[in-house]
Amino acid sequence: ATIVRLAYIPVSLKNFGLALVSVEPHVFVASLVGVEVFNSWIWVIVGSTAQDFGALLSGKQPASPMQLGVMASGCLCLVVLMVYMSKATSEALKEVREAKQKEAEPKSQ
């Protein structure tokens, strides 16, 4: 249930989908609370940093070490995610191309 809650699919699909399968209510509530507290914390930090980032760029506020650390870690996570997604996409495309080549080859009997 926690993996489903973490997936980036519409909330209504997650809730109704979990209602269709046999998930115990206490498991659903535990995963809901755990994931939503984490997601809320992330969105609060991102919003606060974005507001402060605007003030930093306009020169209204000096940068604190924590703000710089959060921004640097966010940039690092973004770069790592982009590299990973690039490699995963390349591998998936390679597999699809190989599968199409195998289908296109004449079948010998």
Side-chain angles (χ1 to χ4, degrees), residues 1-85:
T2 302
I3 292 174
V4 172
R5 295 295 313 167
L6 286 171
Y8 281 104
I9 56 177
V11 173
S12 58
L13 290 177
K14 290 189 252 188
N15 290 340
F16 291 121
L18 286 173
L20 294 174
V21 297
S22 59
V23 175
E24 300 281 331
H26 66 279
V27 172
F28 176 77
V29 170
S31 66
L32 174 71
V33 169
V35 170
E36 294 307 320
V37 165
F38 178 74
N39 280 340
S40 297
W41 180 73
I42 293 293
W43 286 117
V44 166
I45 288 178
V46 167
S48 175
T49 302
Q51 181 181 11
D52 293 342
F53 188 63
L56 289 173
L57 290 178
S58 65
K60 295 179 183 176
Q61 179 181 0
S64 74
M66 183 174 171
Q67 289 172 330
L68 294 175
V70 169
M71 285 189 259
S73 66
C75 290
L76 178 65
C77 288
L78 182 61
V79 168
V80 168
L81 178 65
M82 289 174 58
V83 169
Y84 172 75
M85 291 304 296

